[in-house]
Amino acid sequence: MNVAQIQQAVEHLKQGKTVVIPTETVYGLGADASNPEAVRRIFAIKGRPPSHPLIVHIESINALDSWAKAIPPVAERLAERFWPGPLTLVLPRRPDVLTEVTGGQDTVALRVPAHPVTSSLLKAFGGGIAAPSANRFGRLSPTTSRDVYEEFGETAGMILEGGPCALGLESTILGFQDGHPVLLRPGALSTGVLEECPGVRILRKTPGTGTLPVPGSSLSHYQPKTPLEVLPEEDLVRRSLFLSAQGRKAGILCRKAKEDCFRRAGLTPFSMPREAQAYGQVLFAVLHFFDRAGVERILVESPPETMEWEAVNDRLGRASLTRSGQGSPDKAGGFTERPRKS
């Protein structure tokens, strides 16, 4: 990325336009976080409810005090340890932070991205960039510029090329309760890694306590256009053979199951990594691939239910028909489903 392109992106931001930015997690649809019209443009392009807050990307930890107040000491320690990186901190906002950015809440979500292109842009711009993932609300997050262009065409504005995203899953989001960090969304940084920071113990939010929205918190989210099911290994094989016998096409994400189990007409298996981090790096890319391939169903072998797989399971749970309550397998091995969101 050359200096001229960075400067062009800066001018777009200053003019209230949106710019697609690469990060180490996913591509983001960015706008000047201090311009209310520009921020509202993000919501219009994505079809995102205005009550869902945005993450503000800042240049460095030195900018933290410009956006947040009453910062708990543990938040400062986490920022010093993990910024730049895939960690978002939800903190009390300063009075001049736009409510359009915060979804009307008294907190603001902040992070310092590690991607060199966006780091250069933030330095040249000199302000915060509000940027959710560059996709339509509820859809798969983009991990390449191609994903963004196929979703929006020219509508998203200038796209800064940054290559495939290194991590492939969104940032981990932490809030704070009585000075203690609380996991609001699992992400590319596992709680185990976060707790390696001295004096850090991550609390869990209690389901059903009415927690305010955070990015990516909808029950139905991260969805491919193709209906997706998450199944145990034995059910995965049985379901795949049933679809093949019906003459239907299915893309299969197998982890322990061998590809040879799916050498039938209409079935396209893809061997996923055994390790959680590597799996997360390619998950959205593989789902985008199967969306483009025109299969009728995506079947995913259930990952382990351990802490290191928490972010992957979260994304699959929100993306799938079987886990999000949108449908259920019928007795014949078929699938009865309700209409999906457009």
Side-chain angles (χ1 to χ4, degrees):
M1 182 60 57
N2 60 43
V3 174
Q5 289 172 311
I6 293 292
Q7 192 55 47
Q8 183 183 3
V10 168
E11 292 304 316
H12 278 232
L13 291 171
K14 288 181 176 179
Q15 294 166 15
K17 298 178 181 178
T18 52
V19 174
V20 175
I21 60 174
T23 78
E24 72 277 21
T25 56
V26 299
Y27 275 73
L29 180 63
D32 180 358
S34 66
N35 183 331
E37 291 185 7
V39 171
R40 286 193 287 268
R41 189 166 290 117
I42 292 175
F43 287 90
I45 292 172
K46 284 178 60 71
R48 182 186 180 97
S51 60
H52 283 245
L54 305 178
I55 295 174
V56 177
H57 297 69
I58 56 179
E59 180 188 349
S60 72
I61 191 174
N62 295 329
L64 188 57
D65 289 336
S66 299
W67 296 88
K69 63 180 183 178
I71 302 169
V74 68
E76 294 181 344
R77 292 202 303 274
L78 286 164
E80 289 170 355
R81 172 66 179 82
F82 294 106
W83 281 357
L87 174 65
T88 295
L89 302 179
V90 178
L91 298 163
R93 68 177 179 91
R94 296 188 67 84
D96 56 345
V97 176
L98 297 178
T99 56
E100 286 87 351
V101 167
T102 68
Q105 300 180 34
D106 290 329
T107 54
V108 60
L110 300 164
R111 99 171 176 97
V112 178
H115 197 288
V117 171
T118 297
S119 295
S120 297
L121 176 63
L122 285 163
K123 183 176 182 179
F125 179 56
I129 299 176
S133 54
N135 57 309
R136 299 190 191 282
F137 182 70
R139 291 301 189 190
L140 277 180
S141 295
T143 57
T144 67
S145 57
R146 176 187 177 182
D147 297 338
V148 180
Y149 191 81
E150 289 190 354
E151 182 88 333
F152 292 117
E154 305 290 341
T155 305
M158 180 181 182
I159 299 176
L160 285 175
E161 177 58 59
C165 297
L167 298 180
L169 287 181
E170 297 83 358
S171 63
T172 303
I173 301 180
L174 296 181
F176 296 88
Q177 180 179 327
D178 299 325
H180 300 289
V182 180
L183 182 67
L184 300 181
R185 181 184 73 180
L189 273 176
S190 70
T191 53
V193 170
L194 289 167
E195 289 180 342
E196 291 175 4
C197 185
V200 172
R201 173 75 173 176
I202 308 298
L203 305 178
R204 301 298 175 116
K205 63 177 181 179
T206 304
T209 55
T211 303
L212 291 170
V214 296
S217 62
S218 301
L219 290 177
S220 175
H221 214 81
Y222 309 112
Q223 291 190 336
K225 297 175 183 176
T226 309
L228 181 149
E229 305 171 40
V230 182
L231 302 163
E233 180 181 354
E234 59 274 15
D235 292 342
L236 180 77
V237 175
R238 183 163 51 248
R239 178 83 172 113
S240 301
L241 299 181
F242 174 82
L243 290 174
S244 177
Q246 283 192 322
R248 302 177 69 183
K249 296 179 180 180
I252 302 158
L253 280 66
C254 47
R255 182 176 167 272
K256 292 176 65 178
K258 303 297 184 183
E259 286 193 27
D260 289 346
C261 298
F262 309 101
R263 301 297 184 190
R264 299 290 181 93
L267 304 183
T268 305
F270 189 97
S271 290
M272 296 293 286
R274 291 292 188 100
E275 301 300 321
Q277 183 176 356
Y279 190 108
Q281 286 174 337
V282 301
L283 174 60
F284 288 154
V286 174
L287 296 181
H288 277 292
F289 167 80
F290 280 128
D291 262 351
R292 295 178 184 121
V295 298
E296 299 170 73
R297 190 77 62 181
I298 298 174
L299 307 181
V300 182
E301 182 181 343
S302 302
E305 295 286 344
T306 59
M307 184 179 295
E308 63 179 340
W309 288 89
E310 186 173 19
V312 168
N313 280 311
D314 174 80
R315 302 311 187 269
L316 289 174
R318 298 179 195 278
S320 74
L321 292 166
T322 47
R323 291 192 184 184
S324 62
Q326 292 180 307
S328 57
D330 62 33
K331 293 181 180 179
F335 201 85
T336 303
E337 63 187 74
R338 301 173 190 170
R340 292 166 63 88
K341 294 180 179 179
S342 59

